[in-house]
Amino acid sequence: MSAADNKKLVQQIYADAASRSGTTFADNLADDACWIVTGQYSWSHEFRGREAILNGLMGHFRSFFAVRPRTVAYNFIADGDYVAVESRGDNVTKAGLRYDNQYCMVYRIENGKIREIKEYCDSTLVERVLGPFPEHRKPAAGQSH
């Protein structure tokens, strides 16, 4: 796929996220994809495979919200297999706390499938509002970042 095709795919993922609907992300996630939460805080790990991403990381994240979380992208940069996205959340937790994190996400796409995601965000906000990532949901030994 071209950089333009990759950008279009990621733009559709964020259109889904902005409208709290759609399955573009899950439908285009490679079985052996890796989501890397960067940094040195409790959420910082490599989540490998669909199960670890969709149910481990995203399942835990979504558990904090009564409705599907909303993220609005405002900048996309595509080069080859990579698409970088700047975005901002627009969310309120079940506990009534605002969670409007700012993100820079870097996607690597191969043959129309998401192979890798690197997440950069305000880690202090994550832990202040959502708390530490639970030990029982962390990747198995040898897979953590």
Side-chain angles (χ1 to χ4, degrees), residues 40-122:
Q40 297 182 17
Y41 68 115
S42 66
W43 290 64
S44 299
H45 294 283
E46 291 183 6
F47 296 85
R48 294 190 172 276
R50 289 177 61 82
E51 175 71 19
I53 293 169
L54 296 176
N55 297 318
L57 175 61
M58 295 306 297
H60 180 63
F61 178 75
R62 288 185 176 141
S63 73
F64 289 96
F65 306 96
V67 297
R68 189 173 177 173
R70 181 172 190 256
T71 304
V72 179
Y74 52 89
N75 192 17
F76 296 87
I77 302 166
D79 185 15
D81 291 342
Y82 291 88
V83 180
V85 183
E86 289 181 286
S87 62
R88 183 176 191 98
D90 176 22
N91 301 291
V92 177
T93 68
K94 292 176 188 175
L97 301 171
R98 289 295 317 176
Y99 184 75
D100 301 328
N101 211 331
Q102 293 183 17
Y103 299 94
C104 180
M105 307 289 279
V106 180
Y107 291 78
R108 183 170 53 86
I109 300 168
E110 292 178 0
N111 301 316
K113 293 292 185 183
I114 301 163
R115 302 293 301 203
E116 183 180 88
I117 304 163
K118 284 187 182 174
E119 173 184 331
Y120 303 86
C121 68
D122 181 347

Side-chain angles (χ1 to χ4, degrees), residues 10-56:
V10 175
Q11 285 173 322
Q12 184 58 53
I13 290 167
Y14 280 87
D16 290 356
S19 67
R20 293 185 165 102
S21 65
T23 60
T24 307
F25 178 77
D27 292 347
N28 291 282
L29 187 64
D31 289 338
D32 61 347
C34 180
W35 185 318
I36 301 165
V37 179
T38 64
Q40 297 182 17
Y41 68 115
S42 66
W43 290 64
S44 299
H45 294 283
E46 291 183 6
F47 296 85
R48 294 190 172 276
R50 289 177 61 82
E51 175 71 19
I53 293 169
L54 296 176
N55 297 318

